[in-house]
Amino acid sequence: RVGSATSLSSAVINTRLQELVRLFKERTEKVKEKLIDPDVTSDDESPVASPAAAPVPAPGVELEGDKPSGDDHYCEMLCCTFKHRPWLDRLKSSQFPSSIDPLTNLMYVLWLFFVVMAWNWNCWLIPVRWAFPYQTPANIHYWLLVDYLCDLIYLLDILIFQTRLQFVQGGDIITDKKAMKENYLRSQRFKMDVLCLLPLDFFYFKVGVNPLLRFPRCLKYMAFFEFNNRLEAILTKAYIYRVIRTTAYLLYSLHVNSCLYYWASAYEGLGSTTWVYDGEGNSYIRCYYWAVKTLITIGGLPDPKTLFEIVFQLLNYFTGVFAFSVMIGQMRDVVGAATAGQTYYRSCMDSTIKYMNFYKIPKTVQNRVKTWYEYTWHSQGMLDESELLVQLPDKMRLDIAIDVNYNIVSKVALFQGCDRQMIFDMLKRLRSVVYLPNDYVCKKGEIGREMYIIQAGQVQVLGGPDGKSVLVTLKAGSVFGEISLLAAGGGNRRTANVVAHGFANLFILEKKDLNEILVHYPESQKLLRKKAKKMLKSNDKPKDEKGGPGDPLIIPPKADTPKLFKAALAATGRMGGKGPLERLRWRLKELRAMQ
């Protein structure tokens, strides 16, 4: 019994000591990281109690942490037991946000989708239920159920979502609940939301269920336009949605016109003249067909007979010409904006081809230029990335450059230990260049004025007697030519040919850009000079010591003295003998003195 208790105490003490060692290691790593990178901020954490101070439990007594709590819930699955929280606790812990960012919150965009669906129900179905005999006493409860479900969505939008939207005031983002609520109550949006929920449904008891009494529900159009803006901001190809939305505008105008035509036919009497709807077939489809022919001014319609029919048809023709021209113009703008980049690419390529034909450039060069245009456009979607980023503020350009290039540049041995802000400034100077297959990135003997970072593709370093043997293949993420940025004397000469193996997209940092940056960072400049000298010495050292592989030695190196012979000479010296070995030992001393 005593032995088991002692072993239990020893096991607990060992566990606590291991925990203490682990905490010391973590603290050492944090201090080491702080010394290496002073920019890293340490988290302000409350001090953790030392594990060694924890009381050792008495023999036979369970640790408090080892006992399962009564509030913990476990579920068994196969051979394992998992701890889980009850669904009610999980529901209570998930709280609705106190403030919502309308520009970036995807949950708010999803909610706007439901609000827009309710708004579309009212806009599309109210004219149909008013004009066509689709709402009957037999199905009236279905229509009213969906109507009041849409009203509930409207009400939740006013009470929960709109009063929690953040807004900007004086450059500050306001997240205070009272301020957000007051901002919504003072806005035009609140007035329209209240107007669209006017309780005109109480007139149902007097005039019956007339769908026109729900017409104010269509005034919630601000939610529709806000949803369009938010959705276009998160879509990668927003022009597709714009085309669909413009098409929906055209279909809705035809929808409203078909409802008006059926109402006019019912007012005149179905089948009373050749102009009105005769009451045969599907009423909505037949009226929609008439609306299409009228608004698009196809022609072939029966002539109106009465004054009412003539006035109605004239208004339809005028409205049709105006609406159709607006739709066509808007569709042209949408398609033109979607293909603006393609049009710019095509115009640049046509101008270049015209220039090359004017100066009678060889066909081989023209084909390579065309290949460069096509690959650059299909791989990047643009010809020059700088044209896109020049519109952004300097801080945003830096953020994009850090996300794209920082992981690669920070691994370059030459720049490790330099000022981080200097590296950030350097990232903004990188220039993207596309090389075609077998294009020379740099040639042997050239003065190096650039450093290259491989973004995509591969390059091959060529050497050997013929200069065509592949020494090494560099892949994406590799860096070469960095020493030439800081080499003195007009620049470091390239020692090998570098050729693009396939299509290669490289980032280039020019020497003049780096020199402009280093003016503001003298400490980093000194560090880079030292590193460049070390790298140059390490590159030249094997050549100086070992020589070329085929160079014959004029004076061969002297063979080392055998170890056994050295031991015999040392023993002779200690014994003080005067034999041949002693004379030989004396002779070797004289030779060393002469050397």
Side-chain angles (χ1 to χ4, degrees):
R1 178 72 176 176
V2 175
S4 62
T6 305
S7 62
L8 178 61
S9 300
S10 301
V12 172
I13 292 174
N14 289 333
T15 303
R16 299 300 183 187
L17 288 176
Q18 292 176 1
E19 181 71 17
L20 185 61
V21 170
R22 185 183 62 81
L23 291 175
F24 278 134
K25 286 183 178 180
E26 291 180 358
R27 183 172 180 81
T28 304
E29 291 296 330
K30 288 183 179 180
V31 174
K32 184 178 179 181
E33 184 180 358
K34 181 70 176 178
L35 291 175
I36 294 175
D37 191 358
D39 295 336
V40 178
T41 57
S42 59
D43 299 331
D44 296 333
E45 298 179 352
S46 58
V48 182
S50 173
V56 179
V61 180
E62 291 187 4
L63 293 174
E64 184 178 354
D66 297 337
K67 291 193 297 183
S69 174
D71 296 335
D72 294 340
H73 296 263
Y74 296 86
C75 63
E76 296 183 0
M77 183 179 298
L78 297 179
C79 60
C80 303
T81 302
F82 301 94
K83 186 169 78 170
H84 70 95
R85 297 171 60 189
W87 66 271
L88 187 59
D89 293 344
R90 291 200 300 267
L91 187 62
K92 290 180 180 178
S93 62
S94 59
Q95 298 179 354
F96 195 80
S98 59
S99 64
I100 301 173
D101 185 2
L103 301 178
T104 59
N105 196 316
L106 295 180
M107 181 192 66
Y108 180 64
V109 178
L110 181 62
W111 171 252
L112 284 178
F113 170 76
F114 290 109
V115 176
V116 170
M117 291 298 293
W119 178 75
N120 274 282
W121 167 270
N122 292 314
C123 291
W124 286 78
L125 273 301
I126 287 176
V128 172
R129 293 160 60 186
W130 165 72
F132 292 91
Y134 291 148
Q135 178 177 299
T136 61
N139 60 16
I140 187 65
H141 53 282
Y142 295 113
W143 293 103
L144 294 179
L145 177 63
V146 181
D147 285 345
Y148 293 127
L149 180 62
C150 296
D151 293 350
L152 178 63
I153 294 176
Y154 280 16
L155 190 62
L156 292 177
D157 182 60
I158 294 176
L159 298 178
I160 297 179
F161 285 88
Q162 296 300 322
T163 56
R164 298 170 186 260
L165 293 184
Q166 302 173 5
F167 66 98
V168 179
Q169 185 177 24
D172 297 329
I173 300 177
I174 307 301
T175 58
D176 182 66
K177 291 183 178 180
K178 184 178 180 181
M180 290 186 295
K181 186 180 297 184
E182 291 178 354
N183 178 70
Y184 173 62
L185 295 178
R186 292 193 304 266
S187 64
Q188 183 71 20
R189 177 78 171 266
F190 173 72
K191 299 175 183 177
M192 298 301 297
D193 289 346
V194 172
L195 187 61
C196 73
L197 279 179
L198 286 177
L200 300 181
D201 302 49
F202 289 108
F203 288 100
Y204 286 171
F205 298 104
K206 187 174 182 180
V207 298
V209 182
N210 189 347
L212 286 181
L213 294 175
R214 293 187 56 82
F215 181 76
R217 304 295 188 273
C218 299
L219 298 178
K220 202 175 178 64
Y221 59 89
M222 290 186 178
F224 172 70
F225 292 111
E226 183 182 7
F227 174 72
N228 291 335
N229 296 333
R230 301 291 175 262
L231 187 62
E232 290 178 5
I234 62 177
L235 291 178
T236 55
K237 295 183 178 180
Y239 66 89
I240 297 178
Y241 175 72
R242 297 190 190 106
V243 171
I244 296 174
R245 186 182 63 203
T246 305
T247 305
Y249 290 160
L250 178 60
L251 295 178
Y252 183 74
S253 62
L254 296 173
H255 167 79
V256 173
N257 195 33
S258 63
C259 295
L260 292 175
Y261 175 64
Y262 186 87
W263 169 80
S265 299
Y267 178 80
E268 287 285 301
L270 298 180
S272 59
T273 63
T274 57
W275 181 83
V276 300
Y277 168 59
D278 56 5
E280 297 181 1
N282 188 296
S283 57
Y284 182 77
I285 298 298
R286 295 284 299 276
C287 293
Y288 202 91
Y289 174 73
W290 181 91
V292 170
K293 295 182 68 176
T294 303
L295 284 182
I296 304 180
T297 62
I298 296 177
L301 295 173
D303 296 330
K305 305 298 182 182
T306 64
L307 179 62
F308 175 80
E309 294 174 357
I310 294 173
V311 173
F312 187 89
Q313 188 68 10
L314 286 175
L315 292 176
N316 254 300
Y317 279 138
F318 286 129
T319 307
V321 171
F322 176 74
F324 194 68
S325 60
V326 169
M327 298 299 173
I328 293 298
Q330 188 171 3
M331 188 70 72
R332 183 203 61 190
D333 295 339
V334 170
V335 176
T339 59
Q342 184 76 21
T343 304
Y344 172 73
Y345 154 72
R346 184 59 58 186
S347 64
C348 291
M349 190 171 181
D350 293 343
S351 300
T352 306
I353 293 174
K354 184 178 179 181
Y355 173 84
M356 291 188 296
N357 290 332
F358 179 78
Y359 286 99
K360 299 179 181 180
I361 305 296
K363 287 295 181 182
T364 55
V365 178
Q366 292 192 24
N367 292 335
R368 293 183 65 82
V369 171
K370 294 177 184 177
T371 304
W372 181 88
Y373 267 106
E374 292 178 0
Y375 176 79
T376 304
W377 175 257
H378 290 298
S379 61
Q380 300 180 171
M382 62 191 73
L383 297 178
D384 189 2
E385 294 180 354
S386 60
E387 293 181 359
L388 176 66
L389 300 179
V390 73
Q391 302 175 0
L392 299 177
D394 188 70
K395 181 63 173 62
M396 291 186 180
R397 288 205 305 271
L398 176 60
D399 293 341
I400 294 176
I402 291 174
D403 292 336
V404 175
N405 306 322
Y406 183 73
N407 290 334
I408 298 177
V409 177
S410 60
K411 296 177 183 177
V412 180
L414 185 64
F415 299 124
Q416 289 181 359
C418 294
D419 194 313
R420 180 177 294 184
Q421 189 60 42
M422 187 212 76
I423 297 179
F424 289 166
D425 293 344
M426 188 177 63
L427 292 177
K428 295 185 291 185
R429 302 294 185 97
L430 292 178
R431 181 168 51 89
S432 178
V433 178
V434 174
Y435 288 90
L436 301 182
N438 301 322
D439 272 356
Y440 277 89
V441 180
C442 57
K443 292 185 178 182
K444 184 176 180 179
E446 289 182 346
I447 301 299
R449 298 183 180 89
E450 305 92 5
M451 180 191 75
Y452 301 91
I453 303 174
I454 304 177
Q455 182 191 21
Q458 298 179 358
V459 299
Q460 293 178 339
V461 182
L462 305 182
D466 57 352
K468 296 182 180 179
S469 301
V470 179
L471 302 180
V472 66
T473 300
L474 304 178
K475 299 182 180 180
S478 301
V479 181
F480 61 95
E482 66 271 22
I483 302 179
S484 63
L485 291 180
L486 297 170
N492 180 33
R493 292 188 178 273
R494 306 294 188 187
T495 58
N497 295 327
V498 180
V499 179
H501 180 62
F503 292 95
N505 195 341
L506 308 181
F507 284 118
I508 296 179
L509 176 64
E510 296 184 357
K511 189 173 183 178
K512 61 177 183 179
D513 293 334
L514 182 62
N515 291 336
E516 292 176 1
I517 296 173
L518 290 178
V519 171
H520 307 285
Y521 303 96
E523 297 297 329
S524 297
Q525 186 176 15
K526 294 178 182 178
L527 180 63
L528 290 177
R529 297 285 184 190
K530 291 180 181 179
K531 286 190 174 185
K533 290 180 181 178
K534 282 185 179 180
M535 297 175 76
L536 285 172
K537 288 181 181 179
S538 63
N539 290 341
D540 296 338
K541 191 174 182 181
K543 298 179 183 178
D544 297 338
E545 292 183 353
K546 299 180 181 179
D551 295 340
L553 297 176
I554 299 175
I555 302 178
K558 185 177 72 172
D560 294 337
T561 306
K563 294 183 179 179
L564 183 60
F565 189 65
K566 286 182 178 180
L569 290 177
T572 303
R574 287 194 299 269
M575 293 174 63
K578 296 184 179 180
L581 288 177
E582 177 62 21
R583 290 194 298 271
L584 183 59
R585 181 170 172 270
W586 180 259
R587 183 62 180 164
L588 288 175
K589 282 185 178 180
E590 290 181 350
L591 290 175
R592 290 197 194 98
M594 290 174 62
Q595 290 178 358

